[in-house]
Amino acid sequence: TVVVGAVPNAAMQYYDITGTTAADLRASMDAQGPVDSSGRRNDAFTTWNIDWTWPLNPDGTCVLSGATITDTITVTFPRWLPPPGAPGPVIERWNTYESALVTHESGHVSFVIATAADVLAAIKGATCATAETAAQAVVTRIRQHDLDYDAETGHGATQGARFP
């Protein structure tokens, strides 16, 4: 089996699912999976936040060269512990699915990490008056990428993240 929690560079949050058949597992995820901002329930979901700050001079002017960013990334993921007697084919299918789900969520996480530096660059390339707007523009671009990535992959279906 895939090591649960294998999405690198992200904090993992789990919800337990139960059952012995593929239909049981599907129903459990449909009932308990995380809900995105549009109200759609998902099997797994990546949330992230990028925060920034910069120091101020004694006169209150900003020092954008001293700006720093921090990112927080959390992946909510299903966890199934096959009960005794769970059919081998269901376990195999679950393991394949879980691996594909890790791949899909890792795509979200990787883009955030790769693009977070762009937030810092935007701040440092701005003025005190425009730094906040410049940073928000990059965040908006990352959020759009998440939407586009999910649309292009069918929320991971084209990567094998479809169960059963």
Side-chain angles (χ1 to χ4, degrees), residues 54 62 64 122-134:
W54 49 78
C62 71
L64 296 180
I123 291 167
K124 290 183 175 183
T127 65
C128 292
T130 62
E132 186 69 29
T133 301

Side-chain angles (χ1 to χ4, degrees), residues 2 8 39 50 63 77 81 101 104-105 120 127 140 142 152 157:
V2 171
I50 300 173
V63 184
F77 209 80
L81 302 175
L101 201 55
H104 178 73
E105 296 306 319
L120 189 58
T127 65
T140 298
I142 299 170
E152 290 165 12

Side-chain angles (χ1 to χ4, degrees), residues 55-112:
L56 298 177
N57 287 312
D59 67 2
T61 58
C62 71
V63 184
L64 296 180
S65 62
T68 59
I69 61 166
T70 56
D71 59 61
T72 306
I73 306 170
T74 303
V75 176
T76 303
F77 209 80
R79 177 172 46 204
W80 179 52
L81 302 175
V90 174
I91 294 170
E92 289 173 24
R93 177 66 189 108
W94 176 261
N95 291 343
T96 299
Y97 166 73
E98 187 178 44
S99 179
L101 201 55
V102 165
T103 296
H104 178 73
E105 296 306 319
S106 292
H108 285 291
V109 171
S110 295
F111 189 79
V112 172

